Structure formats: C-alpha cells, structure tokens
Amino acid sequence: MRKLSTRRRHPLAGLVVLLLGLVVAGGLYAAFAPRAATAEEASARDVEAGRQLFLIGCASCHGKNAEGITTKSGGNYGPSLIGVGAAAVDFQVGTGRMPMANAGPQAPRKDPEYTAEETKQLAAYVASLAPGPSVPESEYTDYKAATTEEIREGGEFFRTNCTACHNSVGAGGALPNGRYAPSLKGVSAKHIYEAMLTGPQQMPLFSDEVITPEDKRNVIAYIKSVQDQPTPGIAGGSVGPVSEGMFTFLIGMGGLVGVAVWIGAHGARVKKRSS
Amino acid sequence: MTTEYTDIEKTPVGKKMAGPVEWLDDRLGLAGAGKKLMPVRKVFPEHWSFMLGEIALWSFIVLLATGVYLTFWFQPSMAETVYNGPYKPLNGLEMSQAYSSTLDISFGVRGGLLMRQVHHWAAMLFVAAMVVHMLRVFFTGAYRKPREVNWLIGLGLLTLGLVEGFAGYSLPDDLLSGTGLRFVDGLIRSIPLVGSYLEFFIFGGEFPGNEIIPRLYMAHILLIPALLLGLIGAHMLLLVYQKHTQWPGPGRTEKNVVGYPLLPVYAAKAGGFFFVVFGFTALMGAMIQINPIWAYGPYNPSEVTAGSQPDWYMGFVEGAVRVMPNWELTFLNYTWSLNVFIPGVLLMGVLFTALGAWPFVESWITGDKREHHLLERPRNAPVRTAFGVAGMTMYAVFWIGGGNDIIATKFHLSLNAITWFVRIGWIVLPVIAFIVTKRICIGLQRADANRILHGYETGIIERTPDGSYSERHAPLPVANQFVLTSHDRLPVLEAPAEEDANGVAAPGSRGARLRAKARSFYYDGAVDKPTTHDVEHAAEHLGDHDGHPVPLGEDFQGVSETGIPRSHL
C-alpha cells in the first residue's frame, strides 16, 4: 500500500490511470458489445477485393459507397447496404437474387452470378461498412443433428410464423402486387437461416431475440424433414385443393365421360347369324 | 338374318340355379314382387349423356363402402392427445383425437391411406358428376313438365352433397380443414342479427369449441347419407315412373321410349359402368395424392397455411369472398358484415334459388304446359343455352377468384390484378358469354336449316363446262332431316291486350306485359325450322341441278377432306 500511496503523485500516474480506464472500458465493451460484423476473420484483402467487385457489379444501383441511390420521387434504385451485414449479402448474392436481372416487384431466385469466394469478398466488404448480422455458424445450420423433439418444436415455430406465406410444406404462396413468398424447396439451410435473420424483400425479420439460433435451426430441420418425406404418386401433395379439383375434372370426369361415350356408342349385342 | 335365343332355364348356369331360385321364390315370392316392384323390362333409351348421373350414383356407392371402412378407426373427438406414431415430424405433438386417428389411418392402418384417398376422390367425383349431370339436364330441357319435381330433388341432392363434402373435409381436424371450418364459421356469423347466436348454437360455444367434430361426424355418417339415400331413391323411382327422356329420332315420340330393357342390357351396362367408376376412383386413390393431412399439421386457430382452399365445389364461394370489397357497417348496435354475407351466404342463396325456380320461370315465360319426353337440342333453345353458359361463366370467374393465389404464383401474375379481373369479370364476362352463345346457337340453327333445304356438303368439287367450281350438295337422309326438324315451331308473339273491348284496363295487364316482354326476349333471334313449303321449294331447286357428271350411288354419304367416305347415321 505504501508503494501506491508514494507513487500516486508521480507525473505519469494520471496517464497510467487513463490507460487503465481505457483498457477496462474497451475490454468491457469488447466483451459485451454486439458481436462484430464478421464471425470469421475477414482479412483486409477480402474487404478490398469485395470493394472492387462491388464497384463493378453493385454500385450502379446501391451507390459507390453502398449508401443507396434515391430516385426523385423518393424511392430508390437500390437501398443503402450500410449495416445489412454479411448474412444479407450472402443470402442475396448466394441465391442469385442479386444482382437483379431486371426491375420487377421482387428479385427472383436464380443461378448465382458470383462464385462462393467472390460472394465472401462482397460480404466482407459490406460487413466492413457497419456492424450487421453475420453468416451463421455451421452449428446452427446442421439440421441433421436435430432430434425428433427439436424437429417437432421447429414445426410449431414454422406453422406459427412461416406457413401463412410459405405454405405448410414450403411450396410458397402469393403476396399482393405480384410479390410472392418463394418456394423453400432446394434452398440450403444456410440461406434459410440468413433469410430469417435478415428479412429479405417482403419477408419479416426474425432476429435472434425473437427466434433463437437454436430454434432457427429447428425450423430448418422441420422444413427439411417435411420435404424429405416420400411423396408417392402424382402431384406429391404440396399443391393443395386447386390441383385436386383440376384432377377431378380432367382425369375423373374426363375419363369417365369418355367411357360413357364408349358404352353409349355400343348397342346391345345379340348373337346374329346371317341366313 | 335370325336371332338365336336361349331361354335362361336351359343355360348351364340356369340349370344349376333353378333349385335355389325356386326355394327362394316359394318363400319370398320374388318373381311376383320383381315384376311389380322392379322395372326389369323397363326400357331405357341409349345415349352417353344419360350415364352422367350414373357416375354420381356409383361414386356414392364407393363413398359408402370406403366410408364404412374409415369409421372403424376414426375417432370423432376433439379431446387432446399426444401423438406418438410413425410420422416423426409430428411426434410428441398435442393434437385432437380426430387428427391423431386420421394420421393413424394414413400411416398405421393397412390400406387406410388408400381408402382415405379413394373416399376423397370419390367425393370430389360425386359432386362433379352431379353438377355435370345437372348441366346435361338443363341444356337439354329435361327438367320440363313432368320432371320439375325430380329437378328439385336433384337440386336437393346437390345441396346435401356440398354439405356432406364440407363435413367430411372438416373431420380430420388438420390445419386445412380447421381453416375451412373457420371460413364457414365466418359465413354463419355474417348472417345479420342472428349470426353470433347461430354460431354458438352450432359450435356449442365459441369457435372452435369441443362439439363441432362429433356433431359434424354424426351429420356426415348418419344424417346426410340417410337423406341422400332417401332422395336418391325418390330420384330413381320418379325416373322409373316418368320414364327416361330420349333424343328425338325416327320412331321416337312423346308417348313412347325407344331403347333396351333394364334386364339384361342395362343391368349389364350399368353394372359394368359401376366397376369402371370404382376402378377410376381406386386408380386415382392409388396414384394421385389427395389431402395429405400430415403435411398441414394439427389445427390451431392462430395458424394458417398459404394455399388454403376448399374442395372444388366450394371454390366459387371462396372466390367471391376473396374479391369482395371490405363493406362493413354498424347499425342498431350490430355489426353487419356485408363483406362476407353478400358473397358467401347471399351468393349461395341466389344460385340455388335461381336453379330451383328456373323450370317454373321458363314455363311461365314460354307458356308451355305440355308434357315433354323428347329432349331439346341446346341450339333450339338459344336463350336457355345462353343463360346456362353465362351462369357457368360466372361460376368459373369466381373459381378463378378462389384459386387466385395459386394462379398468381404459377403464372407470375399480380394478385391484385386477378382480384380486379374477377370483380369486373363476374359481371361482364357472363354478358359476353350470353351474347356469344346465343349467336352460336342461332348460327347452328341456320346451319341446320341449310342442311335441310340444300342438303349436306358431299366434299365433291365439280367444275362446270364454263369453268366455275362448286361443291356438290346431296339431300340429307330422311331420318336426319327428321331429327333436325322434330322440335317445336316458334310461337307467334302477340302483344297482350291492354284494354278490354270496353276500353277498361285489362286485369293483370302489368303481369301480362312483363310476360310478353320476357317471351319476346326468350324467342328473340331464334331461327324457325323450315316449313314443308320451304322444303318442297328447295327440293325443286335441287332437282334443277341435274346433269352431274357422276352418279353418287345409294350408299354415298359424302367424303371428308382427306377423301374418306363419311357416314351420317
């Protein structure tokens, strides 16, 4: 204690206290602040490569600094991407929605334009602009590890939050003005996760506080387990009563009327012998 | 040509069956009863369109058989249970016993899924066949006197069929059927003043309650099938009593029926057709998936799935409700949900009232009180046919509304655009359909008149010595001419007398004026069949054209575009 009391008037004491305070505050901030933009260490080289790709492929709509470009009427050509995070980029670019082929009510899913490496670089660049949700850890997309109980729970979440737009087997559904909830068939677990996390296009955003990462994984597990069910026969059951009605008339009534015509065209047969 | 006929007693089967049949006849008097009660020698006319109602009858039999099988395992209870079955994604989930037992039927019971699917397909076919049968009866005027009552019985069968189908759709208590039940709950509630009381009465409390599935089950397996069976019996008895209608043709009059007897010809034909219908429902049940209830999950009023639709026969109501503007008002402290009441309850009421009233309205317009056993070709009643097609068009437009989300996603259209299409189309398109159909009918009538007066087109092109080409026509066979001219001549339309001889306004003249207007609308534009004078005149005209290079011969009936000889009979 003497040491401390003798040296507290040392000319450098104030500086030491200030440093200590900064270290503590910084450490606390680092420990408690929202997770940084990139889960994986995004190298400065990735960010720079991503920026170069962005300037060529994205900046025409989203602006040179991803700040978005507003139109005169107050809408935008492309929204600001500051703070959308790596997850949004990975989803939009990874599912081929971005870059958009043409303007429309909604960007459709298509074959991706960028390789996985380029997508990662673009994501790193956008994530470097401001903190945002990052690409999910593989433990949350490993839906095969889910137990029966977890799948059932995921189903409850799915039916409560998702089926109203995406249909009970994820076949998709219509939304107003030409927009739609896309089919979930063949969408990777990572992209489903990112869609929940970032709320792309018409979709609401389900943050980790609303649906925890574990529950997101369970929802994915339910979707995958439902889609992996054998769908015997024609139609496969995902299309609902409209197609059932169509089959009733095309195959059922069509076929039976055909048979009726055939029966009606044949009179009674009597054994006849020409004399 | 002689016909060889073996008496049934002398056939090998007959010889063996003689003993048992005699034993039964001695005790039950079957032979006498058969002659009296069973129309074994009743004659039925032959035409494919007369077998449409049979499709409905046979699918009803399939429904009874498969339905009995399903009742062995189905638990009509809304009591909660925890599912522990082979379908893993729902394992451990709380659900009603109704849903859980339907899952068991689908996955646990041998043949259960097949029976469920056959039952559902047969139900879809049952209603479809009734509707198509009804359209046939409508377009051929078969509902005219004396068959108005049977038309009404048929309408009752269709109505009960809809209710029966809806009840069955609601029983499994999955998310889709619960949504359908909620829809009907909305319809009931939308009835002004008494709606909410009715809801509590039917559901035994607030929706969904614990009562509705046991109640619907009772209605589905007992009440409505019993009513259906009774009405089907009445429908058939009247058919036998009044005899079947027939198409006009040589030897066929309003006083006879030309065809084959029930035994053995129609028993074989209809019996065979039963197996065809059974085969179709079985094949569809085996090969096309229908209503995969496990995919929807158990019903929960807070959940819904995209692509929720009723079965096809309720699709028109669904469509009308979907496109209806949100009109709602509060009056006398009650909420008046016109947004649901008009397109839901009122639309169904108007449709069924119009269908029920049509035979009487038509007979009032035409003033036709005679009995009719000969059918009318649709073209010879242009306004009736046009009304029918207009009605079908309106129904189809509402169907589009009912499937708007599926159409929007499959054809990449805007949901709003489809909504507006239906909102405008349900009025405009039936009017267009009416005009177009009427013109087509009149065109066909003209073509008929042409064929009678100028003969049919032989397909033979002749060149005259001066180089002009023309198609040779040949007189239509007399039997064909008879068919084309066997309908009634158009009545002479007269304006009703507005005043009697003393200048006093005639009593009931307003009704008479209205009727005269309706009559002139009903017969407007229709082409009358040629008179005998026309036919004779035309025959002389045709006679002038001799000097054809090649005689056609007795059997000649024209050739097709590819030179193949045609047959008109």
Side-chain angles (χ1 to χ4, degrees), chain A residues 163 168 177 234 237 244 266 273, chain B residues 4 269 287 289 304 306 416:
Chain A
T163 54
S168 55
N177 290 320
I234 309 165
E244 289 165 7
H266 291 77
R273 269 183 205 163
Chain B
E4 199 175 90
K269 283 199 174 207
M287 297 175 68
Q289 191 171 62
V304 71
N416 306 46

Side-chain angles (χ1 to χ4, degrees), chain A residues 36-47 117 120 124 127 134-135 137:
Chain A
T38 46
E40 298 164 33
E41 205 58 45
S43 71
R45 213 192 300 160
D46 277 350
V47 171
E117 179 63 23
K120 197 179 140 207
S134 53
V135 176
E137 309 278 354

Side-chain angles (χ1 to χ4, degrees), chain B residues 262-342:
Chain B
L262 181 68
L263 266 180
V265 177
Y266 274 96
K269 283 199 174 207
F273 198 39
F274 165 71
F275 288 107
V276 173
V277 173
F278 201 169
F280 259 81
T281 54
L283 269 181
M284 290 176 83
M287 297 175 68
I288 315 173
Q289 191 171 62
I290 185 165
N291 199 22
I293 48 132
W294 55 91
Y296 302 126
Y299 183 56
N300 176 338
S302 68
E303 295 169 359
V304 71
T305 166
S308 286
Q309 257 96 13
D311 277 344
W312 73 263
Y313 40 83
M314 290 301 281
F316 75 106
V317 182
E318 171 88 16
V321 171
R322 282 188 185 197
V323 304
M324 179 74 190
N326 191 19
W327 296 347
E328 193 176 275
L329 54 96
T330 308
F331 178 60
L332 299 174
N333 273 334
Y334 282 93
T335 304
W336 300 66
S337 294
L338 303 179
N339 46 5
V340 179
F341 182 72
I342 292 174

Side-chain angles (χ1 to χ4, degrees), chain B residues 145-146 254 368-373:
Chain B
K145 188 181 171 186
E254 297 280 12
D368 187 352
K369 311 288 179 207
R370 296 165 300 156
E371 286 211 357
H372 290 278
H373 299 284

Side-chain angles (χ1 to χ4, degrees), chain A residues 152-162 210-211 215 218-219:
Chain A
R152 182 230 309 157
E153 246 167 50
E156 287 284 75
F157 275 106
F158 184 65
R159 280 189 296 276
T160 308
N161 297 298
C162 318
V210 175
I211 297 182
D215 287 334
N218 296 346
V219 168

